[in-house]
Amino acid sequence: MSKDKKAINMLNLCVDLLINHSVSRETLKNDFNVSYRTIERYIDDAQRFLFSRGYDIKSRTNKDGTFYDLVSNDSPDPQMNTFLNEPQLLLLTEILASSRILKKEEAHDFINTLQKIAMVKSMSQEQQNIIKSATGTAMNKYREIKSSLSLKTDSTFETIEKLYRAVYSDRKKITVIKLAYTNLNGETKEHSVQPVSMAFDSSHLYVRAVECSDMTERRIRSYRVDRINSVELTNAAPDPYIDKEDYARKPVPKMMFSTGNYPEKIEFICRQPAVRAALDSFPENQCVFYDKNGNKVDSEEETRPDGYVKMSIRDYPEGCMFWFMSQGENVTVLTESVRAKIKHKLEGTLKYYSK
């Protein structure tokens, strides 16, 4: 047998195992037109190749013949085990279902793909039952929204592919792109922008970019991907004063509100039971914990039940103030400029509802 034919047979064998997780010895013999002994040698060679990548090939025989199953080798080295394990699969399923970013049918297809990657069929029956039940529950509660994306639509697939290429093909170099974008009022305009990052927030995918026309303040704006009608990559020269890595590190504003270029320093006090929510919402912070008597303590747990935390963050006030207001009396904003904005917003709201 020529080396080329053996190489092709070995490639087909490994691909078949990785896709279907199981192959029949009889099928291999017929497809490759070789002896059973040659098949065993193929399996030995494939085992040596796949073991270093976290896989084992197990042989089993029943009334239908002999089969070779691809399974995880349970290596203690996490780099060796390339499968998704059960908890990882369950978490990804829950995250995807909660995001509502895809149309329901496509979300279900995505989860099925993850299950193939995780090789669910090679798991125990108990694990398979748990995964089946969790998937069923996740999909039963799945509620796609009007802006849920469909990757089966050529235009959406192309839009997302171009956006990610523009943003991440080079960590430092900015690629100028043109967007045909429909705003909240239904108006479609063309924007030349300099994308710096992608972000997900409140069931929507965004591209974060600086308008090419904004040469003075250079503010980051957020463009919802489902409102982008087309994307064109250009060779236009980017603004040399925009540091892509620096802009990409800036916090994503709450609910994607931001009208300023740079995040501001904001100080506030947050009382229990909202302390944990504040720490989760603003993970990059400087904070000091206090118990109910005003004594400094070392952790959030020690502030319970009636203590508080004093926090200092760098973020966009336009988005933060909506979170502050949602916490009511549990939060006291100390930064005067943000207090003034909250007061102005509340006065306008009160005036509106007093009509």
Side-chain angles (χ1 to χ4, degrees):
M1 179 186 298
S2 69
K3 290 184 178 179
D4 287 346
K5 184 176 181 181
K6 180 181 178 181
I8 293 172
N9 288 347
M10 284 296 300
L11 177 61
N12 288 330
L13 170 60
C14 290
V15 169
D16 207 5
L17 281 168
L18 289 168
I19 292 176
N20 300 311
H21 307 156
S22 182
V23 293
S24 161
R25 185 176 67 169
E26 194 66 29
T27 300
L28 292 176
K29 178 179 179 297
N30 295 332
D31 288 349
F32 298 160
N33 193 26
V34 296
S35 66
Y36 290 129
R37 188 169 182 177
T38 300
I39 294 299
E40 293 297 333
R41 287 198 293 268
Y42 283 178
I43 292 297
D44 289 341
D45 289 343
Q47 165 74 5
R48 283 191 289 271
F49 172 73
L50 293 170
F51 183 82
S52 64
R53 289 153 178 81
Y55 306 146
D56 263 339
I57 300 176
K58 300 293 186 183
S59 173
R60 61 182 171 87
T61 301
N62 57 30
K63 62 181 180 63
D64 297 317
T66 299
F67 295 84
Y68 303 103
D69 299 330
L70 191 66
V71 298
S72 170
N73 62 21
D74 296 321
S75 168
D77 182 357
Q79 298 299 322
M80 297 268 286
N81 194 342
T82 56
F83 291 128
L84 285 172
N85 58 37
E86 181 192 4
Q88 290 171 332
L89 175 61
L90 292 171
L91 283 173
L92 286 174
T93 298
E94 205 55 54
I95 291 169
L96 180 61
S98 300
S99 73
R100 303 192 296 176
I101 192 172
L102 293 174
K103 298 295 185 183
K104 185 173 182 177
E105 179 184 352
E106 293 184 49
H108 192 268
D109 291 344
F110 200 140
I111 291 172
N112 285 339
T113 300
L114 291 175
Q115 291 182 2
K116 290 181 180 179
I117 295 173
M119 291 184 62
V120 171
K121 291 183 179 179
S122 69
M123 295 181 181
S124 71
Q125 191 59 53
E126 181 184 19
Q127 289 175 307
Q128 291 186 48
N129 291 339
I130 291 172
I131 291 169
K132 182 178 180 180
S133 178
T135 302
T137 300
M139 296 315 299
N140 283 338
K141 68 180 182 182
Y142 197 98
R143 297 291 183 272
E144 66 179 58
I145 54 181
K146 187 176 181 180
S147 59
S148 293
L149 300 172
S150 173
L151 296 180
K152 292 182 179 179
T153 304
D154 290 342
S155 59
T156 303
F157 185 92
E158 183 180 357
T159 293
I160 294 176
E161 189 272 335
K162 285 184 177 180
L163 289 175
Y164 273 93
R165 190 197 311 172
V167 172
Y168 296 115
S169 61
D170 192 308
R171 290 182 59 186
K172 295 183 178 181
K173 183 181 177 181
I174 291 178
T175 300
V176 177
I177 60 176
K178 289 183 179 180
L179 304 178
Y181 187 76
T182 303
N183 64 20
L184 189 61
N185 297 320
E187 302 167 337
T188 300
K189 296 181 180 179
E190 186 175 273
H191 300 258
S192 290
V193 301
Q194 302 169 92
V196 295
S197 67
M198 302 292 293
F200 178 79
D201 182 68
S202 301
S203 301
H204 297 115
L205 183 65
Y206 295 83
V207 58
R208 305 264 290 143
V210 180
E211 288 268 5
C212 291
S213 59
D214 187 4
M215 300 295 286
T216 52
E217 296 187 5
R218 298 183 174 89
R219 295 179 292 184
I220 298 182
R221 302 178 188 273
S222 301
Y223 300 88
R224 262 177 48 179
V225 171
D226 61 287
R227 292 180 180 164
I228 296 175
N229 302 303
S230 64
V231 180
E232 178 186 345
L233 280 65
T234 77
N235 294 318
D239 185 341
Y241 295 100
I242 295 178
D243 185 322
K244 185 177 180 181
E245 290 185 299
D246 178 55
Y247 270 67
R249 283 193 294 266
K250 292 180 181 180
V252 177
K254 294 289 170 194
M255 299 172 64
M256 287 297 173
F257 289 108
S258 63
T259 57
N261 179 25
Y262 292 100
E264 300 176 18
K265 180 179 179 181
I266 304 172
E267 294 184 333
F268 63 96
I269 290 173
C270 184
R271 302 171 187 82
Q272 289 288 15
V275 171
R276 173 48 55 187
L279 295 173
D280 289 343
S281 297
F282 306 101
E284 296 183 15
N285 64 71
Q286 294 179 337
C287 60
V288 181
F289 299 106
Y290 297 88
D291 64 18
K292 64 179 181 180
N293 298 315
N295 301 312
K296 288 185 180 180
V297 292
D298 296 327
S299 66
E300 185 266 334
E301 288 76 12
E302 295 177 84
T303 66
R304 300 172 184 171
D306 300 313
Y308 61 95
V309 60
K310 183 176 180 180
M311 297 182 65
S312 176
I313 63 173
R314 294 196 67 82
D315 213 315
Y316 299 92
E318 290 80 5
C320 290
M321 67 181 187
F322 286 94
W323 187 88
F324 294 148
M325 289 188 289
S326 73
Q327 300 303 312
E329 296 179 352
N330 290 326
V331 168
T332 300
V333 177
L334 304 177
T335 303
E336 284 300 327
S337 60
V338 181
R339 288 174 64 93
K341 290 180 180 180
I342 292 175
K343 183 179 179 181
H344 177 74
K345 179 66 68 174
L346 290 175
E347 287 175 344
T349 302
L350 180 62
K351 184 178 180 180
Y352 177 82
Y353 281 102
S354 296
K355 294 179 180 179

